[in-house]
Amino acid sequence: MIAKIGKGENLWGALTYNQLKVDNENGTVLFTNKIPDLWDRPYSVKFFHQYFEPYLIVNNKTEKLVRHISLNPDPEDKVNDNTYREMAQQYMQEMGYGNQPYIVFKHTDIDRTHIHIVTTCVQLDGKKITDRYDHHRSMEACRKLEKQYKLKVAGENRNSYQNFIFKPVDYTKGNIKAQLSSVLRNMPRTYGFQSIGAYNALLSQFNISIEEVSGELHGKMRKGMVYFATDKNGKKISHPFKSSLFGKHAGFENIQALIEKSRVNMKNNPSKLILKRTIETAISTSKSEAAFKTQLLEQGISTVIRKNDGRIYGITFIDHYSKLVWNGSQLAKELSANSFNKLWNELETKTETNSYSNSKEDLSFEKSSEYFFNNNIHEIFEGFFNGLLPSGIDDDQEEQIFESEMKKQQRKRRKK
């Protein structure tokens, strides 16, 4: 079993992400600790949040007070709901969170059922529950659970080749062709996308870019693709690599076939509505483009924006949980590039003219958001994809790219 611990500030965002799964019948609330059970009406983010408020109020300057934990048994382990409840309670007790309020959510929107736990590390006396050596303690807790519930032991089939899969290309390490190959060998069959542009947006998250090429061969016009390695700003830093160097799966014809297949599979995919609502929540709670991107990234969603002379002409969302890539206009008319141009232009104008928006508190928040996104996005993706393996290859089924450093868009302290 694999456990991942996300640490951040955005409690509302963590609760919203999980509750959306429940609202869309892709998840359930299995257990609550120090939070009443509701039998006569559905749960809501507002309901959950109120039971954390006493802990947030007494917080003694702990910045990353949210813990968003996922427990992921191997797909071959058939775990029922009662066992999940027992495992979650025992894990939280082992980690020192047994007396904290927390919610256990079961996610069922992918083949591998798993649970997420949302809690806080701040106690009622305002002190923080220590997180020293929490990775080591988490591993020990997982080994105990594996033994007690006769689960498969994580990592027993891993090999050195697999450790190289799905890491963003780092040109400073050399061997660029091998790094490209490790991504391109599995990326097309792991994610769904409906255009070459969407595929390019996906690859950009791994410091890879593509170009279509055409030419005449034996009297017939042929189309193909070449791949480049890029730096973190998307600038090409390598010579072009022919797609044939990476096998037919990375070639133009195979990519086109995958696009057609994805168009059918994504047409009525239930994750589309979840993604749309998550984006709408981020729009309503963020004050800038950078804050918007950061909030979505915390939920495992990458945002790729294409601009020309400062104007947005394309926006793409990559949902790393459903492994689907969507253009904004495919999700909803109000999520198109033009809509975001209007939204962020209005916010910029409001910031310039509204004295409250120009307060030191808001300005410092915007700067911190910009700094977080610009300086840490590649570190985040290293965490997302380090060791992540595509379906059918990953024997120990590491958690699907959820846990990243959670960054709050803004938190106003309550004053007594």
Side-chain angles (χ1 to χ4, degrees):
M1 182 174 71
I2 298 295
K4 294 285 181 125
I5 305 174
K7 301 176 183 180
E9 300 176 9
N10 192 355
L11 176 63
W12 190 271
L15 292 171
T16 298
Y17 171 76
N18 286 282
Q19 186 58 39
L20 280 172
K21 300 276 188 178
V22 177
D23 293 343
N24 288 280
E25 299 182 353
N26 290 311
T28 55
V29 176
L30 283 186
F31 180 77
T32 60
N33 193 61
K34 291 199 169 183
I35 297 175
D37 290 326
L38 291 183
W39 305 105
D40 57 340
R41 62 187 188 278
Y43 291 106
S44 67
V45 174
K46 184 177 180 180
F47 172 81
F48 286 136
H49 196 275
Q50 65 181 318
Y51 291 97
F52 289 97
E53 288 177 354
Y55 298 80
L56 307 183
I57 292 172
V58 299
N59 176 30
N60 290 337
K61 299 182 179 179
T62 298
E63 293 184 359
K64 295 182 179 180
L65 48 76
V66 179
R67 296 294 178 266
H68 194 161
I69 302 163
S70 69
L71 299 181
N72 305 264
D74 188 278
E76 295 182 9
D77 292 321
K78 305 304 179 183
V79 182
N80 60 40
D81 289 352
N82 286 333
T83 300
Y84 268 128
R85 293 186 188 99
E86 293 173 3
M87 289 168 55
Q89 288 177 271
Q90 184 172 330
Y91 178 87
M92 295 298 278
Q93 194 68 40
E94 293 274 352
M95 297 298 293
Y97 299 106
N99 293 322
Q100 295 293 98
Y102 62 82
I103 309 109
V104 181
F105 298 90
K106 183 174 79 168
H107 290 191
T108 57
D109 55 336
I110 59 176
D111 292 338
R112 177 181 53 76
T113 301
H114 57 289
I115 60 175
H116 283 230
I117 308 170
V118 179
T119 189
T120 177
C121 65
V122 175
Q123 303 174 90
L124 279 176
D125 60 2
K127 296 181 180 179
K128 174 186 175 183
I129 297 174
T130 181
D131 58 358
R132 294 186 65 185
Y133 311 111
D134 60 351
H135 178 68
H136 178 72
R137 290 188 290 118
S138 177
M139 290 179 64
E140 287 188 344
C142 287
R143 301 298 83 79
K144 288 182 181 179
L145 292 173
E146 288 168 348
K147 184 175 181 180
Q148 180 176 343
Y149 293 98
K150 299 180 180 179
L151 305 177
K152 288 192 67 175
V153 178
E156 59 186 6
N157 292 314
R158 183 175 296 279
N159 59 47
S160 59
Y161 167 76
Q162 290 175 333
N163 285 327
F164 203 41
I165 293 177
F166 280 9
K167 291 184 180 180
V169 173
D170 182 354
Y171 68 93
T172 64
K173 294 181 179 180
N175 202 10
I176 291 178
K177 179 182 174 183
Q179 292 189 63
L180 288 170
S181 180
S182 68
V183 175
L184 298 175
R185 186 177 291 113
N186 297 291
M187 182 64 64
R189 64 181 180 181
T190 303
Y191 282 77
F193 42 86
Q194 301 183 63
S195 67
I196 292 292
Y199 180 46
N200 205 10
L202 172 63
L203 292 180
S204 72
Q205 304 304 292
F206 298 88
N207 300 340
I208 301 173
S209 175
I210 59 173
E211 284 187 7
E212 293 185 60
V213 294
S214 60
E216 186 174 327
L217 180 65
H218 303 308
K220 294 183 178 181
M221 290 300 296
R222 302 282 186 177
K223 286 188 176 182
M225 293 191 302
V226 293
Y227 293 87
F228 299 83
T230 69
D231 61 17
K232 65 179 181 180
N233 297 315
K235 182 180 179 180
K236 297 172 184 175
I237 48 82
S238 77
H239 65 269
F241 291 86
K242 294 181 180 179
S243 62
S244 58
L245 294 173
F246 309 110
K248 291 183 178 180
H249 50 270
F252 183 81
E253 291 184 0
N254 184 61
I255 297 302
Q256 286 293 339
L258 291 174
I259 287 172
E260 294 303 319
K261 182 178 179 181
S262 292
R263 286 173 179 168
V264 175
N265 294 340
M266 294 172 65
K267 186 174 182 180
N268 297 309
N269 195 291
S271 66
K272 179 179 180 179
L273 180 59
I274 296 175
L275 177 61
K276 177 177 178 290
R277 291 184 176 179
T278 304
I279 294 170
E280 290 170 345
T281 299
I283 291 173
S284 65
T285 56
S286 59
K287 292 188 176 182
S288 70
E289 177 184 324
F292 172 78
K293 288 180 177 179
T294 300
Q295 184 171 339
L296 288 182
L297 192 59
E298 294 168 3
Q299 310 305 324
I301 300 165
S302 298
T303 307
V304 180
I305 296 176
R306 297 172 294 284
K307 294 183 179 181
N308 186 11
D309 294 330
R311 180 175 179 79
I312 299 172
Y313 68 88
I315 186 165
T316 302
F317 300 98
I318 304 168
D319 186 347
H320 295 293
Y321 301 104
S322 65
K323 294 191 178 70
L324 298 176
V325 184
W326 300 89
N327 288 330
S329 57
Q330 291 175 326
L331 296 171
K333 182 179 180 180
E334 58 270 21
L335 299 182
S336 66
N338 287 335
S339 297
F340 281 99
N341 262 313
K342 183 178 179 182
L343 169 68
W344 286 324
N345 284 337
E346 289 178 353
L347 285 175
E348 288 178 3
T349 301
K350 185 177 180 181
T351 300
E352 292 174 358
T353 58
N354 189 316
S355 60
Y356 174 77
S357 295
N358 281 316
S359 68
K360 290 183 179 180
E361 180 182 358
D362 285 339
L363 286 176
S364 64
F365 161 69
E366 295 299 339
K367 290 179 180 178
S368 65
S369 295
E370 294 278 0
Y371 179 85
F372 172 80
F373 185 78
N374 291 332
N375 289 275
N376 293 304
I377 183 169
H378 289 278
E379 180 181 338
I380 288 170
F381 276 105
E382 183 73 14
F384 272 154
F385 301 107
N386 186 16
L388 177 69
L389 306 173
S391 177
I393 295 179
D394 185 4
D395 291 322
D396 59 315
Q397 294 291 306
E398 250 186 89
E399 182 209 353
Q400 292 193 350
I401 50 182
F402 180 74
E403 310 305 345
S404 66
E405 289 289 336
M406 297 163 87
K407 188 72 179 178
K408 184 185 178 180
Q409 8 148 5
Q410 186 176 23
R411 175 166 57 88
K412 296 181 179 178
R413 294 186 179 278
R414 292 194 177 188
K415 296 182 180 179
K416 294 183 179 181

